[in-house]
Amino acid sequence: MDEKDAARSNSISPAVIHRLPRYYRLLGEMKRNGKSRTSSRELAAIMGLTASQIRQDFNCFGGFGQQGYGYNVDILLDGLWKILGLERQMSAILIGVGRLGTLVSSYITDGRFGYKLIGLFDNNPALQGKVVDGLAIQNDTALEEFCREHQPEVAVLCVPKTSAAGLCKQLTQYGIRAFWNFSHYDIALDYPDAIVENVHLSDSLMSLHFLVYRNQEENRDN
Amino acid sequence: MDEKDAARSNSISPAVIHRLPRYYRLLGEMKRNGKSRTSSRELAAIMGLTASQIRQDFNCFGGFGQQGYGYNVDILLDGLWKILGLERQMSAILIGVGRLGTLVSSYITDGRFGYKLIGLFDNNPALQGKVVDGLAIQNDTALEEFCREHQPEVAVLCVPKTSAAGLCKQLTQYGIRAFWNFSHYDIALDYPDAIVENVHLSDSLMSLHFLVYRNQEENRDN
């Protein structure tokens, strides 16, 4: 089973999928530092996992090394690059070019993470024509024609929850199935076949608040 | 066991902790829409969980309702507010006031999520004195004195990985134990007692890329 065949299988857990970018970052760092070999034990120590977990993760993708001999950093990095499909630039549009959208667009313009931003949309008339990252902002009303013509693969949603449901319905009709979702609208609930990555900054803040508060209360009691 | 006692116990899983903000958001919406009662079944449908999971989650915090009678939205919302500790504004400092830091600061300035931004720091001399969200940016060299005087509870790291390790070492010495971490530095690995919430935008993008790529490869084969 080669890497691609392995990556195609549906058996890869979300936890492994979310570790792939960490492996990729870590190995890139090793390479930049002139390191040519590593081991599951070394990777485990840096990742906070066990060596056996590391080997299991890599086995999901067909191996990469022989037990006892460790891994060649270049081969591993190249394998992860292929698995993540980073040689393919995916076309993306971003909707909602406020403060958040403007920041988020910078992550998909420079090609680093395998995306190419091809369109920016906002329903605020004051923003029409304003250029961000080399693209003129268009009105949401232009979405249908734009999607028909350019068939973007990914939509990045930086809009409030109230707008997100309607937008998703539209975008799904226009053939978009993958979303980088910063809104609080739960896309997967209404579109179980959609491919969704959610980023909820305020949820992360509140979870942190809970943890700190609980810790303070515990210390107060002791 | 009242809500506070329950929240103090260490037995709450990370999954439950990360669902708390979702419950809180959802119930806030129900209240704004004039809804006064809900049920585990209704919440389950909206959250994409089972009714039994919802009841188990709430039981972690001492209940909130009687089986068969459902939940009073106001009581639930008030309980979650207390559990999340949102009546307590926590003091926070933010380090790294670039494009990302400027955006992130807006999440902790308005008090919505239980934080109060009290200091902004950046090691770029060109930014010294620039005012963002009502605060003048200070140099990182001012951190020690600032922390001694104001004892911030949370540090928000919007710096590159290369700066993050040194910063964490300093901040830990200055008494900070909680981090909202946007850097790729793995704080928990070096400081197992630290309270950390990580936000890794590029990892999220790469995971999405993997999922979309895999899906496209599968469809090509079929």
Side-chain angles (χ1 to χ4, degrees):
Chain A
M1 178 156 82
D2 79 359
E3 291 140 10
K4 274 197 175 175
D5 286 333
R8 268 175 214 147
S9 81
N10 271 311
S11 57
I12 301 160
S13 77
V16 177
I17 291 168
H18 286 99
R19 279 201 287 274
L20 285 175
R22 283 186 70 202
Y23 287 124
Y24 183 71
R25 274 196 279 118
L26 188 56
L27 286 153
E29 239 169 76
M30 286 182 168
K31 188 186 163 91
R32 281 192 298 278
N33 294 335
K35 213 168 152 59
S36 62
R37 294 198 73 75
T38 184
S39 64
S40 52
R41 194 186 287 179
E42 183 180 43
L43 289 170
I46 305 174
M47 299 271 293
L49 299 166
T50 67
S52 139
Q53 272 177 304
I54 302 276
R55 287 191 297 269
Q56 270 173 37
D57 282 6
F58 290 167
N59 279 338
C60 291
F61 301 101
F64 294 126
Q66 277 181 280
Q67 193 144 6
Y69 292 86
Y71 300 104
N72 175 302
V73 169
D74 274 334
I75 292 176
L76 207 43
L77 200 55
D78 185 59
L80 284 163
W81 167 266
K82 281 186 191 135
I83 285 161
L84 287 162
L86 290 172
E87 81 272 23
R88 268 253 303 112
Q89 294 236 325
M90 285 176 192
S91 55
I93 56 173
L94 184 146
I95 301 123
V97 200
R99 208 166 160 174
L100 174 66
T102 305
L103 172 81
V104 166
S105 76
S106 69
Y107 283 79
I108 44 176
T109 37
D110 62 4
R112 270 181 305 168
F113 307 118
Y115 296 86
K116 191 185 164 160
L117 182 63
I118 60 168
L120 288 172
F121 298 85
D122 201 294
N123 62 8
N124 178 357
L127 292 177
Q128 304 319 301
K130 192 188 157 195
V131 175
V132 173
D133 289 315
L135 292 170
I137 300 173
Q138 304 177 62
N139 196 287
D140 288 4
T141 49
L143 270 169
E144 182 166 7
E145 204 186 316
F146 186 92
C147 290
R148 204 182 310 119
E149 191 173 340
H150 299 285
Q151 306 190 320
E153 296 166 273
V154 175
V156 183
L157 299 189
C158 298
V159 298
K161 183 174 181 174
T162 41
S163 327
L167 256 177
C168 273
K169 195 175 172 188
Q170 272 186 279
L171 294 170
T172 306
Q173 284 165 354
Y174 307 157
I176 293 181
R177 299 173 55 205
F179 298 89
W180 201 26
N181 180 35
F182 288 77
S183 85
H184 281 140
Y185 170 59
D186 192 342
I187 300 175
L189 200 65
D190 288 337
Y191 304 95
D193 291 336
I195 301 170
V196 185
E197 268 285 312
N198 293 304
V199 181
H200 295 328
L201 294 175
S202 58
D203 283 14
S204 168
L205 259 184
M206 283 197 272
S207 295
L208 180 66
H209 199 281
F210 167 79
L211 291 167
V212 176
Y213 179 67
R214 184 175 66 160
N215 184 267
Q216 290 174 343
E217 294 288 308
E218 278 166 2
N219 288 339
R220 192 163 300 155
D221 295 346
N222 295 339
Chain B
M1 180 156 80
D2 78 0
E3 291 141 11
K4 273 198 177 175
D5 287 333
R8 267 174 215 150
S9 80
N10 269 313
S11 58
I12 300 159
S13 79
V16 178
I17 291 168
H18 286 99
R19 278 201 287 274
L20 285 174
R22 284 185 70 200
Y23 287 124
Y24 182 71
R25 274 196 278 121
L26 186 58
L27 287 152
E29 239 169 77
M30 286 180 167
K31 187 185 163 93
R32 281 192 298 281
N33 293 337
K35 211 168 153 62
S36 62
R37 295 197 72 74
T38 183
S39 64
S40 53
R41 195 186 288 182
E42 183 179 44
L43 289 170
I46 305 175
M47 300 270 293
L49 299 166
T50 67
S52 141
Q53 272 177 302
I54 302 275
R55 287 192 298 268
Q56 270 175 38
D57 281 4
F58 290 167
N59 279 338
C60 290
F61 301 101
F64 293 127
Q66 278 182 280
Q67 193 145 6
Y69 293 87
Y71 300 104
N72 175 303
V73 169
D74 274 336
I75 292 176
L76 206 44
L77 199 55
D78 186 60
L80 284 163
W81 167 267
K82 281 187 190 132
I83 285 162
L84 287 162
L86 290 173
E87 81 271 25
R88 269 252 304 112
Q89 295 238 324
M90 286 178 192
S91 55
I93 57 173
L94 183 144
I95 301 122
V97 199
R99 208 166 159 173
L100 174 67
T102 305
L103 171 82
V104 166
S105 76
S106 69
Y107 282 79
I108 46 177
T109 37
D110 63 3
R112 272 182 302 169
F113 308 116
Y115 296 85
K116 190 185 167 169
L117 183 62
I118 62 168
L120 287 172
F121 297 86
D122 200 295
N123 62 8
N124 178 357
L127 292 177
Q128 304 318 304
K130 192 190 155 192
V131 175
V132 172
D133 289 316
L135 292 169
I137 298 173
Q138 303 176 63
N139 196 288
D140 288 4
T141 51
L143 270 170
E144 180 166 8
E145 204 186 316
F146 187 92
C147 290
R148 204 181 311 118
E149 190 173 339
H150 299 284
Q151 305 191 321
E153 296 165 274
V154 175
V156 182
L157 299 188
C158 298
V159 297
K161 183 174 182 177
T162 43
S163 328
L167 256 176
C168 272
K169 195 176 172 187
Q170 273 186 278
L171 294 169
T172 305
Q173 284 165 355
Y174 307 158
I176 294 182
R177 299 172 56 204
F179 299 88
W180 200 27
N181 181 35
F182 287 78
S183 85
H184 281 139
Y185 170 58
D186 191 342
I187 300 175
L189 200 65
D190 289 335
Y191 304 96
D193 292 336
I195 301 170
V196 185
E197 268 284 312
N198 293 305
V199 181
H200 294 328
L201 294 177
S202 58
D203 283 14
S204 166
L205 259 185
M206 283 196 272
S207 296
L208 180 65
H209 199 281
F210 167 78
L211 292 167
V212 176
Y213 180 66
R214 184 176 65 160
N215 184 267
Q216 291 174 341
E217 293 288 309
E218 279 166 1
N219 288 338
R220 192 164 302 156
D221 295 347
N222 296 338

